[in-house]
């Protein structure tokens, strides 16, 4: 079994329902073993869009990285994601952040996620469930990488009542 850390994001429709649907759907590709808190995040890059909800999960799976990516794309489509502008609004986004301690680089997939170390919205939830995991390329813990980022006020805990059922 591989241990994989995924980033989940959504900023369209019922965002909490989208995260619930994604977590439920992930059971088809492995076992969700841990869930971070849910964070509301101001959009980056394309800023004229609704705020995102972001979280991370730890998944155990037997799928290889390329097979997992294919399944995640299938799950996104099944939940209702449609192609859009890069960094634009989306119903659901499922990103492979880390896969065991491997580094994988192919035209279709880069692991660890290539922008993980520069994104508060990915590192903060990841640190909730994997603070002591060592990044396979930077050779630093997730907590150390997060602490090295400049202060950010664009990531806040989401509404506690709404997130209760998402956080295990």
């Amino acid at each position: 079994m591989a241990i994989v850390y995924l980033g989940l994001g959504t900023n369209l429709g019922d965002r909490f329902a989208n995260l619930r649907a994604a977590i439920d759907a992930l059971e088809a590709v492995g076992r969700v073993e841990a869930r971070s808190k849910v964070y509301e995040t101001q959009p980056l890059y394309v800023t004229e869009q609704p705020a995102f909800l972001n979280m991370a999960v730890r998944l155990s799976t037997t799928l290889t990285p390329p097979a997992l990516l294919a399944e995640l794309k299938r799950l996104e489509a099944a939940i209702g994601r449609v192609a859009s502008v890069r960094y634009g609004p989306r119903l659901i986004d499922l990103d492979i952040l880390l896969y065991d301690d491997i580094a994988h680089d192919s035209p279709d997939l880069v692991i660890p996620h290539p922008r993980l170390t520069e994104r508060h919205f990915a590192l903060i939830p990841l640190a909730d469930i994997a603070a002591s995991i060592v990044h396979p390329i930077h050779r630093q813990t997730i907590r150390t990488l997060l602490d090295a980022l400049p202060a950010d006020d664009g990531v806040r805990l989401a509404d506690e009542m709404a997130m209760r059922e998402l956080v295990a």
Side-chain angles (χ1 to χ4, degrees):
M1 283 288 209
I3 300 299
V4 181
Y5 292 91
L6 303 175
L8 286 62
T10 175
N11 75 335
L12 295 177
D14 183 338
R15 299 173 305 160
F16 283 100
N18 298 341
L19 292 174
R20 279 191 300 277
I23 290 168
D24 290 345
L26 286 171
E27 294 295 335
V29 298
R31 187 166 64 92
V32 175
E33 297 179 336
R35 304 170 191 183
S36 73
K37 296 173 186 164
V38 179
Y39 296 87
E40 188 161 47
T41 306
Q42 294 308 308
L44 297 177
Y45 314 119
V46 177
T47 57
E48 295 299 317
Q49 60 179 316
F52 281 85
L53 289 183
N54 292 100
M55 68 181 298
V57 300
R58 182 175 65 231
L59 179 79
S60 61
T61 185
T62 58
L63 296 176
T64 64
L68 178 60
L69 177 64
E71 282 301 304
L72 294 178
K73 295 301 178 195
R74 185 187 65 73
L75 293 176
E76 287 177 342
I79 292 169
R81 181 171 177 173
V82 293
S84 178
V85 179
R86 184 175 171 112
Y87 304 123
R90 63 206 65 191
L91 195 69
I92 194 69
D93 188 29
L94 305 172
D95 287 330
I96 301 171
L97 303 177
L98 300 168
Y99 185 106
D100 280 339
D101 61 352
I102 70 163
H104 176 94
D105 193 350
S106 70
D108 297 325
L109 178 62
V110 177
I111 301 172
H113 191 286
R115 287 169 298 286
L116 173 61
T117 60
E118 63 192 51
R119 293 178 167 176
H120 288 89
F121 70 84
L123 284 173
I124 291 171
L126 185 57
D128 282 351
I129 59 174
S132 64
I133 296 294
V134 174
H135 190 285
I137 294 173
H138 294 286
R139 309 313 278 163
Q140 296 177 327
T141 67
I142 297 304
R143 169 58 55 200
T144 301
L145 292 168
L146 176 58
D147 291 345
L149 287 179
D152 179 72
D153 62 355
V155 179
R156 291 186 166 56
L157 271 176
D159 177 66
E160 266 191 65
M161 292 297 288
M163 91 164 115
R164 264 194 197 146
E165 67 186 80
L166 288 173
V167 179

